[in-house]
Amino acid sequence: MEAFPVSDEDIVPTLEEDPALGLSHREKMEILFAVMLGLFLGALDQTIVGPALPTIATDLNGNDYYVWAVTAYLLTSTITVPFWGKGSDLYGRKPMFMLGIVIFLIGSALSGLSQNMAMLILFRGIQGIGAGALFPVALAVIGDLFSPQERGKYQGLFGAVFGIAFVVGPLIGGFLTEQVSWHWIFYVNIPIGIVSLVVIQRLLPTVKNARASTNFDILGGAIFTVAITALLLGLTNKGLVNEATHQLNEWTDPSVGGLILAGLVGIVLFVFAEARAKEPIVPLHLFRIRTYSSSMVAVFFASFAFFGAVVFLPRWFQFVHGFSPTYSGLAALPLMVGLISSSIASGYYVSRTGRYKWLTVGAIVVMGISTLLMTNLTATTPLPVVWFWMFIAGVGVGPTFAVFTIIVQNAVPFHELGVATSNLTFFRQIGGSVSLAIVGTIFAQSFSEQLGPQMTTAGVPPEVVAGFGQAAASGQLDFNQLTGVGDLGAAIVAAFPQVAPFVTQIVAGIHEAFSIAVAQTFWIGEVAAAIAAVAAATMHEYALRTSQGPATAAAPGAGPAGAATVE
């Protein structure tokens, strides 16, 4: 039988436990601004780095590790999210938020000093550790300040933060990459971070759960870290080229299948450890609440469906259409416009009506339609058509960012708000991390398979195509290097002067193979979107609480202020 989401009728937050109860509206708005600064720091970093990453990977001779530059960041930020959430309950939101920003800034400075791809991946991982605190703790602070019924309109403000970051980030990142040096796209975080720290130190009070225990789940945390790391390492290794065979690693390779199996076993052990822990990092009893558990599944698969587009589309704009880092970032604006507008609109809609179940289902269906359209991507697809597909994707994704936070925070007892919020962020980010590893594998496999046929279709003589295949088999030519930015034709002629008469056809074939490979990555997103929609449709629609205290059950069908369930 499903547990009611707010069963702790005897627990009512006091002023000591919840300083927000003693804050004026103006003070809450000032704190909201301070938290938005911290979120802006993380959002700006992603929008600056993303469009410039192909240039960075090429400069550091690391195109075959392109996905890992992103996966390392998402991996560490995902693993640390539950720890930051639990820490914010134990020690307060303010110290955890500030510590996260400091670690993030250290990682930024080190990333700017990177001299090779290995260093960049390592330092991006350090950045991710700090970034793991920014989103869950910020959302928990908003949960402390405002009741579930109020949060929708303020969640919309976070959409505006991302909007500004997505407009400013590519411009700053492109300018620094092209006119100064890509190293400075990391250094720019430092002054913004310092401003965030100063404002947060002055305005944000320490909000912590007085009932929280100090019995931190060290065993569960260790198992969790090892399991998730092994799983994602195995998935990523599948997309890498074996130096001995010059082919993609096989699923049966110990570095692939062995690590994946170890990760899955670790996840099972983690569940057993959490069931016996006094203070679990991921409280399993919350999953007895259907709205909570269905939200976690829906967010995981919705993020799974979305992240592939975010990573590979800027690379497609640069590689196939020759966009600079600045313009490849701005080319994603239709996606962001759709995301931000639907995020803000859905937040206000939920606040005004209290309804959210079919809104989230419909949004995920729209996202599924957009990913289906993107499976038709080719090198000759008109850019306005691609931008229209991206806008539709943004419209579908937006509500999953804004509304699920409200849903989860409304479904759990007030004193577990911090850990519940961090779990939601964790499922969102692990969905993105797993997606990146899998779509990277699909892309590499598809590109390798399509390269020869597409070069032949483009008019390249069979003997030249065969020569390319032999060069790849012998290790003389690494096809991963073909996906770097720059003048592809000139690079091919420099390596193989004898193919100069056919270089135009060769480039056309490579571009088409690249486009088809990107399109293939969206099929996995289509499946993920379908699962997310089914999961969202199974949730119970509990009325939004109008206060920070636990809600009380009421008869089904009552209005938003009083009902326990809205059918």
Side-chain angles (χ1 to χ4, degrees):
M1 183 175 181
E2 180 190 6
F4 190 75
V6 283
S7 57
D8 298 312
E9 295 292 341
D10 59 324
I11 299 177
V12 178
T14 65
L15 182 63
E16 179 182 359
E17 297 164 335
D18 180 19
L21 295 176
L23 295 173
S24 67
H25 180 74
R26 176 176 178 178
E27 289 172 321
K28 287 184 177 182
M29 292 299 102
E30 291 175 343
I31 294 169
L32 179 65
F33 171 75
V35 173
M36 289 169 63
L37 276 180
L39 278 179
F40 181 73
L41 180 68
L44 184 65
D45 175 77
Q46 294 180 39
T47 58
I48 286 180
V49 174
L53 194 53
T55 300
I56 297 173
T58 300
D59 186 48
L60 297 179
N61 298 315
N63 277 293
D64 47 348
Y65 295 100
Y66 174 90
V67 171
W68 258 114
V70 179
T71 303
Y73 179 91
L74 284 175
L75 175 64
T76 54
S77 63
T78 299
I79 289 175
T80 56
V81 162
F83 297 96
W84 288 115
K86 178 64 75 172
S88 73
D89 278 342
L90 294 175
Y91 309 114
R93 318 284 191 224
K94 179 176 180 177
M96 291 296 100
F97 202 39
M98 294 185 66
L99 178 60
I101 291 176
V102 169
I103 295 175
F104 181 87
L105 294 182
I106 292 173
S108 296
L110 293 174
S111 295
L113 297 172
S114 299
Q115 300 300 310
N116 55 58
M117 204 64 177
M119 293 177 65
L120 178 65
I121 292 170
L122 173 64
F123 298 147
R124 286 286 285 168
I126 294 175
Q127 261 192 307
I129 294 174
L134 299 182
F135 296 100
V137 179
L139 294 174
V141 170
I142 302 308
D144 290 333
L145 296 179
F146 305 102
S147 71
Q149 195 173 52
E150 295 177 297
R151 285 174 205 154
K153 47 191 173 183
Y154 299 113
Q155 293 286 353
L157 294 178
F158 286 104
V161 170
F162 281 94
I164 295 173
F166 273 98
V167 171
V168 174
L171 293 174
I172 297 177
F175 173 79
L176 293 176
T177 300
E178 296 168 8
Q179 305 299 327
V180 185
S181 169
W182 62 260
H183 300 273
W184 282 90
I185 68 175
F186 297 105
Y187 300 148
V188 76
N189 291 327
I190 297 175
I192 299 173
I194 292 175
V195 172
S196 299
L197 287 172
V198 171
V199 176
I200 291 169
Q201 170 63 31
R202 289 182 55 246
L203 298 177
L204 185 63
T206 299
V207 181
K208 58 184 176 180
N209 185 355
R211 296 177 179 84
S213 169
T214 56
N215 295 315
F216 202 87
D217 183 16
I218 298 177
L219 176 62
I223 296 174
F224 172 78
T225 301
V226 173
I228 298 301
T229 301
L231 177 65
L232 292 180
L233 275 172
L235 290 170
T236 301
N237 285 340
K238 179 62 184 72
L240 301 181
V241 176
N242 187 296
E243 294 183 0
T245 63
H246 305 294
Q247 301 295 324
L248 292 176
N249 289 318
E250 298 293 336
W251 287 106
T252 55
D253 191 293
S255 66
V256 179
L259 285 173
I260 292 175
L261 179 61
L264 295 176
V265 172
I267 291 173
V268 174
L269 294 176
F270 172 70
V271 172
F272 278 106
E274 294 302 273
R276 291 160 176 77
K278 292 182 179 180
E279 281 291 334
I281 297 172
V282 180
L284 300 182
H285 71 271
L286 292 177
F287 287 91
R288 294 197 297 269
I289 305 170
R290 183 186 295 184
T291 297
Y292 178 90
S293 57
S294 62
S295 295
M296 296 299 162
V297 174
V299 163
F300 174 89
F301 283 102
S303 298
F304 190 106
F306 172 66
F307 270 83
V310 173
V311 172
F312 278 102
L313 281 178
R315 192 176 179 187
W316 180 81
F317 282 116
Q318 288 192 49
F319 180 71
V320 176
H321 288 277
F323 280 36
S324 67
T326 302
Y327 287 107
S328 69
L330 292 177
L333 274 179
L335 177 72
M336 293 304 110
V337 169
L339 187 155
I340 294 164
S341 59
S342 64
S343 175
I344 295 174
S346 63
Y348 271 89
Y349 174 82
V350 172
S351 287
R352 290 177 63 87
T353 67
R355 303 279 182 154
Y356 50 79
K357 176 177 178 177
W358 295 111
L359 171 65
T360 56
V361 173
I364 294 171
V365 169
V366 170
M367 180 174 61
I369 293 172
S370 69
T371 56
L372 181 62
L373 292 172
M374 289 184 186
T375 61
N376 297 304
L377 184 70
T378 68
T380 58
T381 302
L383 289 180
V385 173
V386 178
W387 288 327
F388 176 69
W389 294 345
M390 294 168 65
F391 175 78
I392 296 175
V395 170
V397 171
T400 69
F401 277 80
V403 178
F404 276 111
T405 301
I406 303 171
I407 294 172
V408 168
Q409 291 181 344
N410 181 66
V412 303
F414 179 81
H415 70 281
E416 293 185 302
L417 184 145
V419 70
T421 304
S422 69
N423 287 345
L424 179 69
T425 304
F426 163 72
F427 274 88
R428 177 178 286 125
Q429 294 191 189
I430 194 65
S433 297
V434 173
S435 173
L436 284 171
I438 292 179
V439 300
T441 300
I442 293 173
F443 170 82
Q445 184 82 41
S446 180
F447 180 70
S448 178
E449 293 174 352
Q450 290 289 332
L451 194 55
Q454 295 306 320
M455 289 174 65
T456 299
T457 302
V460 180
E463 60 272 16
V464 176
V465 175
F468 265 78
Q470 294 172 1
S474 65
Q476 184 181 0
L477 175 65
D478 182 0
F479 282 138
N480 285 302
Q481 296 298 326
L482 295 179
T483 61
V485 296
D487 191 333
L488 177 61
I492 292 174
V493 172
F496 305 98
Q498 66 273 23
V499 303
F502 311 106
V503 69
T504 301
Q505 294 93 321
I506 292 173
V507 169
I510 294 174
H511 282 173
E512 188 63 28
F514 185 96
S515 301
I516 292 175
V518 172
Q520 291 301 307
T521 65
F522 290 109
W523 281 111
I524 192 70
E526 186 69 15
V527 175
I531 298 174
V534 172
T538 64
M539 75 170 65
H540 283 316
E541 191 172 51
Y542 296 105
L544 300 181
R545 297 196 301 267
T546 57
S547 66
Q548 290 289 49
T552 56
T565 305
V566 181
E567 300 295 345

